[in-house]
Every structure is written in structure tokens, then in C-alpha cells.
Amino acid sequence: MDVLGGLWHLLNFFAPALGIALFASAMAKLLWRSALQGVPWLRMALWSAGWAIAASVGGLLYFGRDGKMATYAAMVLACAFSLWWRGFGPGRR
């Protein structure tokens, strides 16, 4: 595999985590507009992306390959928890 092929594999590995984080952050800001008025969208998106990527890497390490439904469920739960933490929980600041 050449460098460009490796880069594409890496980007495609992180794409689901980034996609769900960006979409969930946008929907949270849209649905709870007044409650999340003081919380910046970028901060919510970065935290949820970080936790979704961590869940994806954890699933890869645990299962030995990516693309398992349990890993995707863990990404959704990690993203939801981080959005709650940053939007409504103790990490709101």
C-alpha cells in the first residue's frame, strides 16, 4: 500500500465518527436552541468527535477490526454522552 492509499484508509476510518459528531451537534443545537444558546457549536462538535473517535479506536482494538455494529453503537453512545456533558451536564461551563 502506498502513502496515498494509507491516507485514504485512515480518513475513511475516522469518517463515520466525524460525520456522526457533526450531525449530532448540529441537531442538538437546532432542537435545543434556547437551552444551548451559550454553548458554542464548535466546542460541542469537537468534544463529541473526540469521544466518537476514541470509541472507534477502542472498538478496533477490542474486536481486531473495524465496522462492527457494537463499535458503531459505542460511537453513538459516546457522542450522545459528550453532547449531554458539554450541553447540559457539569462540563457546560
Coordinates of all heavy atoms in Angstrom, one line a residue:
M1 N 0.9 -1.2 0.0 CA 0.0 0.0 0.0 C 0.9 1.2 0.0 O 1.9 1.3 0.8 CB -0.9 0.0 1.2 CG -1.8 1.2 1.3 SD -2.8 1.3 2.8 CE -3.4 -0.3 3.1
D2 N 0.6 2.2 -0.8 CA 1.3 3.4 -0.9 C 0.8 4.4 0.1 O -0.1 4.1 0.9 CB 1.3 4.0 -2.3 CG -0.1 4.3 -2.8 OD1 -1.0 3.8 -2.2 OD2 -0.2 5.1 -3.7
V3 N 1.5 5.6 0.2 CA 1.1 6.6 1.2 C -0.3 7.1 1.0 O -1.1 7.3 1.9 CB 2.2 7.7 1.2 CG1 1.8 8.8 2.1 CG2 3.5 7.2 1.5
L4 N -0.6 7.3 -0.3 CA -2.0 7.9 -0.6 C -3.1 6.9 -0.2 O -4.1 7.2 0.4 CB -2.1 8.2 -2.0 CG -3.4 8.9 -2.5 CD1 -3.5 10.2 -1.7 CD2 -3.3 9.2 -3.9
G5 N -2.8 5.6 -0.4 CA -3.8 4.6 -0.1 C -3.9 4.5 1.5 O -5.0 4.3 2.0
G6 N -2.8 4.6 2.2 CA -2.9 4.6 3.6 C -3.6 5.8 4.2 O -4.4 5.7 5.2
L7 N -3.4 6.9 3.6 CA -4.1 8.1 4.0 C -5.6 8.0 3.8 O -6.4 8.4 4.6 CB -3.6 9.4 3.2 CG -4.3 10.7 3.5 CD1 -4.0 11.1 5.0 CD2 -3.9 11.7 2.6
W8 N -6.0 7.4 2.6 CA -7.5 7.2 2.4 C -8.1 6.2 3.4 O -9.2 6.4 3.9 CB -7.7 6.7 1.0 CG -7.7 7.8 0.0 CD1 -6.8 8.0 -1.0 CD2 -8.6 8.9 -0.1 NE1 -7.1 9.2 -1.7 CE2 -8.2 9.7 -1.1 CE3 -9.8 9.3 0.6 CZ2 -8.9 10.9 -1.5 CZ3 -10.5 10.4 0.3 CH2 -10.0 11.2 -0.8
H9 N -7.3 5.2 3.7 CA -7.8 4.2 4.7 C -8.0 4.9 6.1 O -9.0 4.7 6.8 CB -6.8 3.0 4.9 CG -7.0 2.0 3.9 ND1 -8.0 1.0 4.0 CD2 -6.3 1.6 2.8 CE1 -8.0 0.2 3.0 NE2 -7.0 0.5 2.3
L10 N -7.0 5.7 6.5 CA -7.1 6.4 7.7 C -8.3 7.4 7.7 O -9.1 7.5 8.7 CB -5.8 7.2 8.0 CG -5.6 7.7 9.4 CD1 -5.6 6.6 10.4 CD2 -4.3 8.5 9.5
L11 N -8.5 8.2 6.7 CA -9.6 9.1 6.6 C -10.9 8.4 6.6 O -11.9 8.9 7.2 CB -9.5 10.0 5.3 CG -8.3 11.0 5.3 CD1 -8.2 11.7 4.0 CD2 -8.5 12.0 6.4
N12 N -11.0 7.3 5.9 CA -12.3 6.5 5.9 C -12.5 5.8 7.2 O -13.7 5.6 7.6 CB -12.2 5.5 4.8 CG -12.5 6.1 3.4 OD1 -13.2 7.0 3.3 ND2 -11.8 5.5 2.4
F13 N -11.5 5.6 8.0 CA -11.7 5.0 9.3 C -12.3 6.1 10.3 O -13.2 5.8 11.1 CB -10.4 4.5 9.9 CG -10.5 4.1 11.3 CD1 -11.1 2.9 11.6 CD2 -9.9 4.8 12.4 CE1 -11.2 2.4 12.9 CE2 -10.0 4.4 13.7 CZ -10.7 3.2 13.9
F14 N -11.9 7.3 10.1 CA -12.4 8.4 11.0 C -13.7 9.0 10.5 O -14.3 9.8 11.2 CB -11.3 9.5 11.2 CG -10.2 9.0 12.0 CD1 -8.9 9.2 11.6 CD2 -10.4 8.4 13.3 CE1 -7.8 8.8 12.3 CE2 -9.3 8.0 14.0 CZ -8.0 8.2 13.6
A15 N -14.1 8.8 9.3 CA -15.2 9.5 8.7 C -16.5 9.2 9.4 O -17.3 10.2 9.6 CB -15.3 9.1 7.2
P16 N -16.9 8.0 9.8 CA -18.1 7.8 10.5 C -18.2 8.5 11.8 O -19.2 9.1 12.2 CB -18.2 6.3 10.7 CG -17.4 5.7 9.7 CD -16.3 6.7 9.5
A17 N -17.1 8.6 12.6 CA -17.1 9.2 13.8 C -17.2 10.8 13.7 O -18.0 11.4 14.4 CB -15.8 8.9 14.6
L18 N -16.5 11.3 12.7 CA -16.7 12.7 12.4 C -18.0 13.1 11.9 O -18.6 14.1 12.3 CB -15.6 13.2 11.4 CG -14.2 13.1 11.9 CD1 -13.2 13.5 10.8 CD2 -14.0 14.1 13.1
G19 N -18.6 12.3 11.0 CA -19.9 12.5 10.5 C -21.0 12.5 11.5 O -21.8 13.4 11.6
I20 N -21.0 11.5 12.4 CA -22.0 11.5 13.5 C -21.8 12.6 14.5 O -22.8 13.1 15.0 CB -22.0 10.1 14.1 CG1 -23.3 9.9 14.9 CG2 -20.9 9.9 15.0 CD1 -23.6 8.6 15.4
A21 N -20.6 13.0 14.7 CA -20.4 14.1 15.7 C -20.9 15.4 15.1 O -21.5 16.2 15.8 CB -18.9 14.2 16.0
L22 N -20.6 15.7 13.9 CA -21.0 16.9 13.3 C -22.6 17.0 13.1 O -23.2 18.0 13.4 CB -20.4 17.1 11.9 CG -18.9 17.3 11.9 CD1 -18.3 17.4 10.5 CD2 -18.5 18.5 12.7
F23 N -23.1 15.9 12.7 CA -24.6 15.8 12.5 C -25.3 15.9 13.9 O -26.3 16.7 14.0 CB -25.0 14.5 11.8 CG -26.5 14.4 11.6 CD1 -27.1 15.2 10.6 CD2 -27.2 13.5 12.4 CE1 -28.5 15.1 10.4 CE2 -28.6 13.4 12.2 CZ -29.2 14.2 11.2
A24 N -24.8 15.2 14.9 CA -25.5 15.2 16.2 C -25.3 16.6 16.9 O -26.3 17.0 17.5 CB -24.9 14.1 17.1
S25 N -24.2 17.2 16.7 CA -24.0 18.5 17.3 C -24.9 19.6 16.7 O -25.5 20.4 17.3 CB -22.6 19.0 17.2 OG -21.7 18.1 17.8
A26 N -25.1 19.5 15.3 CA -25.9 20.4 14.6 C -27.4 20.2 15.0 O -28.1 21.1 15.3 CB -25.8 20.3 13.1
M27 N -27.8 18.9 15.1 CA -29.2 18.6 15.5 C -29.5 19.0 17.0 O -30.6 19.5 17.3 CB -29.5 17.1 15.3 CG -29.6 16.7 13.9 SD -31.0 17.5 13.0 CE -30.2 18.7 12.0
A28 N -28.5 18.8 17.9 CA -28.7 19.3 19.2 C -28.9 20.8 19.3 O -29.7 21.3 20.1 CB -27.5 18.8 20.1
K29 N -28.0 21.5 18.6 CA -28.2 23.0 18.6 C -29.5 23.4 18.0 O -30.1 24.4 18.4 CB -27.0 23.6 17.8 CG -25.7 23.6 18.6 CD -25.7 24.6 19.8 CE -25.4 26.0 19.3 NZ -25.2 26.9 20.5
L30 N -30.0 22.7 17.0 CA -31.2 23.0 16.4 C -32.4 22.7 17.3 O -33.3 23.5 17.4 CB -31.4 22.3 15.0 CG -32.6 22.6 14.2 CD1 -32.6 24.0 13.7 CD2 -32.7 21.6 13.0
L31 N -32.4 21.5 17.9 CA -33.5 21.1 18.7 C -33.6 21.8 20.0 O -34.7 22.1 20.5 CB -33.5 19.6 18.9 CG -33.7 18.7 17.7 CD1 -33.5 17.3 18.0 CD2 -35.1 18.9 17.2
W32 N -32.5 22.1 20.7 CA -32.5 22.7 22.0 C -31.8 24.1 21.8 O -30.9 24.4 22.5 CB -31.7 21.9 23.0 CG -32.5 20.6 23.3 CD1 -33.6 20.5 24.0 CD2 -32.2 19.3 22.8 NE1 -34.0 19.2 24.1 CE2 -33.2 18.4 23.3 CE3 -31.2 18.8 22.0 CZ2 -33.2 17.1 23.1 CZ3 -31.2 17.4 21.8 CH2 -32.2 16.6 22.3
R33 N -32.3 24.9 20.9 CA -31.8 26.2 20.6 C -31.7 27.1 21.8 O -30.6 27.7 22.0 CB -32.6 26.8 19.5 CG -32.0 28.1 18.9 CD -32.8 28.6 17.7 NE -33.1 27.5 16.8 CZ -34.2 27.4 16.1 NH1 -35.2 28.2 16.3 NH2 -34.3 26.4 15.2
S34 N -32.7 27.2 22.6 CA -32.7 28.1 23.7 C -31.8 27.6 24.8 O -31.1 28.4 25.5 CB -34.1 28.4 24.2 OG -34.7 27.2 24.6
A35 N -31.9 26.3 25.1 CA -31.1 25.7 26.2 C -29.6 25.7 25.9 O -28.8 25.8 26.8 CB -31.6 24.3 26.5
L36 N -29.2 25.6 24.6 CA -27.8 25.5 24.3 C -27.3 26.8 23.6 O -26.3 26.8 23.0 CB -27.6 24.4 23.3 CG -27.9 23.0 23.8 CD1 -27.7 22.0 22.7 CD2 -26.9 22.6 24.9
Q37 N -28.0 27.9 23.9 CA -27.6 29.2 23.3 C -26.2 29.6 23.7 O -25.4 30.2 22.9 CB -28.6 30.2 23.7 CG -28.4 31.5 23.0 CD -29.6 32.5 23.3 OE1 -30.3 32.3 24.3 NE2 -29.8 33.5 22.5
G38 N -25.8 29.4 25.0 CA -24.5 29.8 25.4 C -23.3 28.8 25.1 O -22.2 29.1 25.5
V39 N -23.6 27.7 24.5 CA -22.6 26.7 24.3 C -22.2 26.7 22.8 O -23.1 26.6 21.9 CB -23.2 25.2 24.6 CG1 -22.1 24.2 24.4 CG2 -23.7 25.2 26.0
P40 N -21.0 27.0 22.5 CA -20.6 27.1 21.1 C -20.7 25.7 20.4 O -20.3 24.7 20.9 CB -19.1 27.5 21.2 CG -18.9 28.0 22.6 CD -19.9 27.3 23.4
W41 N -21.2 25.8 19.1 CA -21.3 24.6 18.4 C -20.0 23.9 18.1 O -19.9 22.6 18.2 CB -22.0 24.9 17.0 CG -22.1 23.7 16.1 CD1 -23.1 22.7 16.2 CD2 -21.2 23.3 15.1 NE1 -22.8 21.8 15.2 CE2 -21.7 22.1 14.5 CE3 -20.1 23.9 14.5 CZ2 -21.1 21.5 13.5 CZ3 -19.5 23.3 13.5 CH2 -20.0 22.1 13.0
L42 N -19.0 24.6 17.8 CA -17.7 24.0 17.5 C -17.1 23.2 18.7 O -16.6 22.1 18.5 CB -16.7 25.1 17.1 CG -15.3 24.6 16.6 CD1 -15.5 23.7 15.4 CD2 -14.4 25.7 16.3
R43 N -17.3 23.7 19.9 CA -16.8 23.0 21.1 C -17.6 21.7 21.3 O -17.0 20.7 21.6 CB -17.0 23.9 22.4 CG -16.4 23.1 23.5 CD -16.6 23.8 24.9 NE -16.9 25.2 24.9 CZ -17.3 25.8 26.0 NH1 -17.6 25.1 27.1 NH2 -17.6 27.1 26.0
M44 N -18.9 21.8 21.1 CA -19.7 20.5 21.2 C -19.3 19.5 20.1 O -19.2 18.3 20.4 CB -21.2 20.9 21.0 CG -21.8 21.6 22.2 SD -23.5 22.1 22.0 CE -24.3 20.7 21.2
A45 N -19.1 20.0 18.9 CA -18.7 19.1 17.8 C -17.3 18.5 18.0 O -17.1 17.3 17.8 CB -18.7 19.9 16.5
L46 N -16.3 19.3 18.5 CA -15.0 18.8 18.7 C -15.0 17.7 19.9 O -14.3 16.7 19.7 CB -14.0 19.9 19.0 CG -13.7 20.8 17.9 CD1 -12.8 21.9 18.3 CD2 -13.0 20.0 16.8
W47 N -15.7 18.0 20.9 CA -15.7 17.0 22.0 C -16.4 15.7 21.6 O -16.0 14.6 21.9 CB -16.4 17.6 23.3 CG -15.5 18.4 24.1 CD1 -15.2 19.8 24.0 CD2 -14.6 17.9 25.1 NE1 -14.3 20.1 24.9 CE2 -13.9 19.0 25.6 CE3 -14.4 16.7 25.6 CZ2 -12.9 18.9 26.6 CZ3 -13.4 16.5 26.6 CH2 -12.7 17.6 27.1
S48 N -17.6 15.9 20.9 CA -18.3 14.6 20.5 C -17.5 13.9 19.5 O -17.5 12.6 19.5 CB -19.7 15.0 20.0 OG -19.6 15.9 18.9
A49 N -16.8 14.6 18.6 CA -15.9 13.9 17.6 C -14.8 13.2 18.3 O -14.4 12.0 17.9 CB -15.4 14.9 16.6
G50 N -14.2 13.8 19.3 CA -13.1 13.2 20.0 C -13.5 11.9 20.7 O -12.8 10.9 20.7
W51 N -14.7 11.9 21.4 CA -15.2 10.7 22.0 C -15.6 9.7 21.1 O -15.5 8.5 21.3 CB -16.3 11.1 23.0 CG -15.7 11.7 24.3 CD1 -15.7 13.0 24.6 CD2 -15.0 11.0 25.3 NE1 -15.0 13.1 25.8 CE2 -14.6 11.9 26.3 CE3 -14.7 9.6 25.5 CZ2 -13.9 11.5 27.4 CZ3 -14.0 9.3 26.7 CH2 -13.6 10.2 27.6
A52 N -16.2 10.1 19.9 CA -16.6 9.1 18.9 C -15.4 8.4 18.3 O -15.4 7.2 18.0 CB -17.5 9.8 17.9
I53 N -14.3 9.2 18.1 CA -13.1 8.6 17.5 C -12.5 7.7 18.6 O -12.0 6.6 18.2 CB -12.1 9.7 17.1 CG1 -12.6 10.4 15.8 CG2 -10.7 9.2 17.0 CD1 -11.8 11.6 15.5
A54 N -12.5 8.0 19.8 CA -12.0 7.2 20.9 C -12.8 5.8 20.9 O -12.2 4.8 21.1 CB -12.0 7.9 22.2
A55 N -14.1 5.9 20.8 CA -14.9 4.7 20.8 C -14.6 3.8 19.5 O -14.5 2.6 19.6 CB -16.4 5.0 20.8
S56 N -14.3 4.5 18.4 CA -14.0 3.8 17.2 C -12.6 3.1 17.3 O -12.5 1.9 16.9 CB -14.0 4.7 16.0 OG -13.7 4.1 14.8
V57 N -11.7 3.8 17.9 CA -10.3 3.2 18.1 C -10.4 2.0 19.1 O -9.8 1.0 19.0 CB -9.3 4.2 18.5 CG1 -8.0 3.6 19.0 CG2 -9.1 5.2 17.4
G58 N -11.2 2.3 20.2 CA -11.4 1.2 21.2 C -12.1 0.0 20.6 O -11.7 -1.2 20.9
G59 N -13.1 0.2 19.7 CA -13.7 -1.0 19.0 C -12.7 -1.7 18.1 O -12.7 -2.9 18.0
L60 N -11.8 -1.0 17.5 CA -10.8 -1.6 16.6 C -9.8 -2.4 17.5 O -9.5 -3.6 17.1 CB -10.1 -0.5 15.8 CG -8.9 -1.0 15.0 CD1 -9.4 -1.9 13.8 CD2 -8.1 0.2 14.4
L61 N -9.4 -1.9 18.6 CA -8.5 -2.6 19.5 C -9.2 -3.8 20.1 O -8.6 -4.9 20.2 CB -8.0 -1.7 20.5 CG -7.1 -0.6 20.1 CD1 -6.7 0.3 21.2 CD2 -5.8 -1.1 19.4
Y62 N -10.4 -3.7 20.5 CA -11.1 -4.8 21.2 C -11.5 -5.9 20.2 O -11.3 -7.1 20.5 CB -12.4 -4.2 21.9 CG -13.1 -5.3 22.7 CD1 -12.7 -5.7 23.9 CD2 -14.3 -5.9 22.2 CE1 -13.3 -6.7 24.6 CE2 -15.0 -6.8 22.9 CZ -14.5 -7.2 24.1 OH -15.1 -8.2 24.9
F63 N -12.1 -5.6 19.1 CA -12.6 -6.6 18.1 C -11.5 -7.0 17.1 O -11.7 -8.0 16.4 CB -13.8 -6.1 17.4 CG -15.0 -5.9 18.3 CD1 -15.5 -4.6 18.5 CD2 -15.6 -7.0 18.9 CE1 -16.6 -4.5 19.3 CE2 -16.7 -6.8 19.7 CZ -17.2 -5.6 19.9
G64 N -10.5 -6.2 16.9 CA -9.5 -6.6 16.0 C -9.7 -6.1 14.6 O -8.9 -6.3 13.7
R65 N -10.9 -5.5 14.3 CA -11.2 -4.9 13.0 C -12.3 -3.9 13.2 O -13.0 -3.9 14.2 CB -11.7 -6.0 12.0 CG -13.0 -6.7 12.4 CD -13.3 -7.8 11.4 NE -14.7 -8.2 11.6 CZ -15.7 -7.8 10.9 NH1 -15.5 -7.0 9.9 NH2 -16.9 -8.3 11.1
D66 N -12.5 -3.0 12.2 CA -13.5 -2.0 12.4 C -14.7 -2.4 11.6 O -14.8 -3.4 10.9 CB -13.0 -0.7 11.9 CG -12.7 -0.6 10.4 OD1 -12.6 -1.7 9.8 OD2 -12.7 0.5 9.8
G67 N -15.8 -1.6 11.8 CA -17.0 -1.9 11.1 C -18.0 -2.8 11.8 O -19.0 -3.2 11.2
K68 N -17.7 -3.1 13.1 CA -18.7 -3.9 13.9 C -19.8 -3.0 14.3 O -19.6 -1.8 14.7 CB -18.0 -4.5 15.1 CG -16.8 -5.4 14.7 CD -17.2 -6.8 14.3 CE -17.5 -7.7 15.4 NZ -17.8 -9.0 15.1
M69 N -21.0 -3.6 14.4 CA -22.2 -2.8 14.9 C -22.0 -2.3 16.3 O -22.5 -1.3 16.7 CB -23.4 -3.6 14.7 CG -23.8 -3.8 13.2 SD -24.0 -2.2 12.3 CE -25.5 -1.5 13.1
A70 N -21.3 -3.1 17.1 CA -21.1 -2.8 18.5 C -20.2 -1.5 18.6 O -20.4 -0.7 19.5 CB -20.5 -3.9 19.3
T71 N -19.3 -1.4 17.7 CA -18.4 -0.2 17.7 C -19.2 1.0 17.3 O -19.1 2.1 17.8 CB -17.3 -0.4 16.7 OG1 -16.5 -1.6 17.1 CG2 -16.3 0.8 16.7
Y72 N -20.1 0.9 16.3 CA -20.9 2.0 15.9 C -21.9 2.4 17.0 O -22.2 3.6 17.2 CB -21.7 1.7 14.6 CG -20.8 1.6 13.4 CD1 -21.0 0.5 12.5 CD2 -19.8 2.5 13.1 CE1 -20.2 0.4 11.4 CE2 -19.0 2.4 12.0 CZ -19.2 1.4 11.2 OH -18.4 1.3 10.1
A73 N -22.4 1.4 17.7 CA -23.3 1.7 18.9 C -22.5 2.5 20.0 O -23.0 3.4 20.6 CB -23.9 0.5 19.4
A74 N -21.3 2.0 20.2 CA -20.4 2.7 21.2 C -20.1 4.2 20.7 O -20.1 5.1 21.5 CB -19.1 1.9 21.4
M75 N -19.9 4.4 19.4 CA -19.7 5.7 18.9 C -20.9 6.6 19.1 O -20.8 7.8 19.5 CB -19.4 5.7 17.4 CG -18.0 5.2 17.1 SD -17.5 5.4 15.4 CE -18.9 5.3 14.4
V76 N -22.1 6.1 18.9 CA -23.3 6.9 19.1 C -23.5 7.2 20.6 O -23.8 8.3 21.0 CB -24.5 6.1 18.6 CG1 -25.8 6.7 19.0 CG2 -24.5 6.0 17.1
L77 N -23.2 6.2 21.5 CA -23.4 6.5 22.9 C -22.3 7.5 23.4 O -22.6 8.3 24.2 CB -23.3 5.2 23.7 CG -24.4 4.2 23.5 CD1 -24.2 2.9 24.2 CD2 -25.7 4.9 24.0
A78 N -21.1 7.3 22.9 CA -20.0 8.3 23.3 C -20.3 9.7 22.8 O -20.1 10.7 23.6 CB -18.7 7.8 22.8
C79 N -20.9 9.8 21.6 CA -21.2 11.1 21.1 C -22.4 11.7 21.9 O -22.3 12.9 22.2 CB -21.6 10.9 19.6 SG -21.9 12.5 18.8
A80 N -23.4 10.9 22.2 CA -24.5 11.4 23.0 C -24.1 11.8 24.4 O -24.6 12.9 24.9 CB -25.6 10.3 23.0
F81 N -23.3 11.0 25.0 CA -22.8 11.4 26.3 C -22.0 12.7 26.3 O -22.2 13.5 27.2 CB -22.0 10.2 27.0 CG -21.5 10.6 28.3 CD1 -22.4 10.5 29.4 CD2 -20.2 10.9 28.5 CE1 -21.9 10.9 30.7 CE2 -19.7 11.3 29.8 CZ -20.6 11.2 30.9
S82 N -21.1 12.8 25.4 CA -20.3 14.0 25.3 C -21.2 15.3 25.0 O -20.9 16.3 25.5 CB -19.2 13.9 24.3 OG -19.7 13.8 23.0
L83 N -22.2 15.1 24.2 CA -23.1 16.2 23.9 C -23.9 16.6 25.2 O -24.1 17.8 25.5 CB -24.0 15.9 22.8 CG -23.4 15.9 21.4 CD1 -24.4 15.5 20.3 CD2 -22.9 17.3 21.0
W84 N -24.3 15.6 25.9 CA -25.0 15.9 27.2 C -24.1 16.6 28.1 O -24.4 17.6 28.8 CB -25.6 14.6 27.8 CG -26.1 14.9 29.2 CD1 -27.3 15.4 29.5 CD2 -25.3 14.6 30.4 NE1 -27.3 15.5 30.9 CE2 -26.2 15.1 31.4 CE3 -24.1 14.1 30.7 CZ2 -25.8 15.0 32.8 CZ3 -23.7 14.1 32.0 CH2 -24.5 14.5 33.0
W85 N -22.9 16.0 28.3 CA -21.9 16.6 29.2 C -21.6 18.0 28.9 O -21.5 18.9 29.8 CB -20.6 15.7 29.2 CG -19.6 16.2 30.2 CD1 -18.6 17.1 30.0 CD2 -19.5 15.7 31.5 NE1 -17.9 17.2 31.1 CE2 -18.4 16.4 32.1 CE3 -20.2 14.8 32.3 CZ2 -18.0 16.1 33.4 CZ3 -19.8 14.5 33.6 CH2 -18.7 15.2 34.1
R86 N -21.3 18.4 27.6 CA -21.0 19.7 27.2 C -22.2 20.6 27.1 O -22.0 21.8 27.3 CB -20.2 19.7 25.9 CG -18.8 19.3 26.0 CD -18.1 20.4 26.7 NE -16.8 20.0 27.1 CZ -16.0 20.6 27.9 NH1 -16.4 21.7 28.5 NH2 -14.8 20.2 28.2
G87 N -23.3 20.1 26.9 CA -24.5 20.9 26.7 C -25.4 21.1 27.9 O -25.8 22.2 28.1
F88 N -25.5 20.1 28.7 CA -26.4 20.2 29.8 C -25.8 19.8 31.2 O -26.3 20.1 32.2 CB -27.7 19.3 29.6 CG -28.4 19.6 28.4 CD1 -28.3 18.9 27.2 CD2 -29.2 20.8 28.3 CE1 -29.0 19.2 26.1 CE2 -29.9 21.1 27.2 CZ -29.8 20.3 26.1
G89 N -24.7 19.0 31.1 CA -24.2 18.5 32.3 C -23.1 19.4 33.0 O -23.1 20.6 32.8
P90 N -22.3 18.8 33.8 CA -21.3 19.5 34.6 C -20.2 20.2 33.8 O -19.6 21.1 34.2 CB -20.7 18.5 35.5 CG -21.5 17.3 35.4 CD -22.4 17.4 34.2
G91 N -20.0 19.7 32.5 CA -19.0 20.2 31.7 C -19.4 21.4 30.9 O -18.7 21.8 30.0
R92 N -20.6 22.0 31.2 CA -21.1 23.0 30.3 C -20.3 24.3 30.4 O -20.0 24.9 29.3 CB -22.5 23.3 30.8 CG -23.2 24.4 29.9 CD -24.6 24.6 30.3 NE -25.1 25.7 29.4 CZ -26.4 25.7 29.0 NH1 -27.2 24.8 29.4 NH2 -26.8 26.7 28.3
R93 N -19.9 24.7 31.5 CA -19.1 26.0 31.7 C -19.5 27.1 30.8 O -19.2 27.6 29.9 CB -17.6 25.7 31.7 CG -17.2 25.0 32.9 CD -15.7 25.0 32.9 NE -15.3 23.6 32.6 CZ -14.3 23.2 31.9 NH1 -13.6 24.1 31.3 NH2 -14.0 22.0 31.7

